[in-house]
């Protein structure tokens, strides 16, 4: 497994269960990505920061949760837009995958809120954050397996790009401005 590849859903679920976390892999990844996109620090004790629980231990080096952090940081900084969301694979029914996507978005907002500074987002960043908030509030009423499959793929792609935009606004933009001064 390369350092930019996310760990397997099941491995993250098992690692979270070992720590008695009442959160899914999608929620953990969403919260971590929200934290990082908003400018939260990359640190071994990320779990305590992101989950707002100082009693949580830092994941051990090489643990799936440590690999989740490392891969997420690498992917967010990837100039080829290699960022991926940790969601259930295609063998899971579309309704469950959509629910995980909405959970991911809710957790992203929480992580983002914990780390965001007073900096102003670009107009596109404001719109992207609003769209993620709308997805976080979404529910699944009826399922059309064929149409929903395509819609979910489009939503996932949009969220990927929205997160990269927010990361650029909050993290990359300030770094570049600091270098200019």
């Amino acid at each position: 497994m390369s350092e930019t590849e996310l760990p397997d859903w099941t491995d993250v679920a098992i690692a979270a269960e070992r720590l008695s976390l009442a959160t899914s892999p999608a929620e953990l990844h969403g919260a971590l990505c929200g934290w990082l996109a908003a400018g939260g620090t990359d640190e071994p004790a990320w779990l305590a920061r992101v989950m707002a629980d100082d009693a949580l231990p830092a994941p051990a080096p090489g643990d799936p949760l440590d690999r989740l952090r490392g891969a997420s940081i690498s992917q967010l900084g990837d100039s080829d837009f290699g960022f991926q969301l940790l969601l259930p694979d295609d063998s899971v029914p579309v309704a469950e995958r959509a629910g995980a996507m909405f959970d991911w978005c809710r957790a992203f907002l929480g992580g983002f809120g914990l780390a965001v500074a007073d900096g102003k987002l670009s107009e596109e960043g404001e719109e992207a954050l609003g769209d993620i908030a709308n997805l976080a509030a979404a529910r699944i009423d009826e399922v059309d397996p064929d149409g929903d499959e395509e819609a979910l793929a489009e939503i996932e792609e949009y969220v990927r790009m929205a997160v990269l935009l927010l990361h650029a606004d909050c993290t990359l933009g300030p770094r570049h401005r600091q270098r200019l001064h």
Side-chain angles (χ1 to χ4, degrees):
M1 173 184 289
S2 77
E3 71 179 38
T4 61
E5 188 178 329
L6 292 172
D8 182 71
W9 174 276
T10 303
D11 293 342
V12 173
I14 291 168
E17 192 175 299
R18 243 191 333 262
L19 293 173
S20 300
L21 299 177
T23 187
S24 73
E27 291 167 317
L28 264 178
H29 189 240
L32 171 61
C33 290
W35 169 264
L36 293 170
T41 56
D42 167 22
E43 56 188 87
W46 71 269
L47 192 59
R49 306 284 243 146
V50 169
M51 300 301 292
D53 181 353
D54 290 337
L56 287 172
D63 175 270
L65 298 180
D66 182 58
R67 293 193 329 261
L68 182 68
R69 178 192 58 81
S72 299
I73 290 163
S74 293
Q75 287 184 3
L76 282 167
D78 182 5
S79 59
D80 292 329
F81 307 108
F83 176 69
Q84 296 296 316
L85 309 180
L86 182 60
L87 297 171
D89 67 34
D90 292 344
S91 68
V92 173
V94 70
E96 287 180 45
R97 293 191 338 260
M101 165 67 75
F102 301 150
D103 290 345
W104 194 100
C105 290
R106 275 189 290 283
F108 177 88
L109 293 174
F112 193 88
L114 286 172
V116 73
D118 293 334
K120 182 153 173 47
L121 293 175
S122 67
E123 189 175 317
E124 295 86 3
E126 291 277 351
E127 184 178 329
L129 193 60
D131 289 343
I132 291 173
N134 287 336
L135 287 168
R139 289 188 354 218
I140 301 161
D141 294 324
E142 294 179 29
V143 178
D144 167 19
D146 296 329
D148 289 348
E149 196 69 52
E150 187 176 319
L152 185 58
E154 289 175 13
I155 291 169
E156 183 177 347
E157 181 62 19
Y158 179 81
V159 170
R160 277 181 358 89
M161 291 299 121
V163 169
L164 290 171
L165 173 69
L166 288 164
H167 181 254
D169 263 15
C170 297
T171 305
L172 300 178
R175 283 187 203 153
H176 292 296
R177 283 193 288 278
Q178 283 178 343
R179 278 191 226 139
L180 294 174
H181 294 291

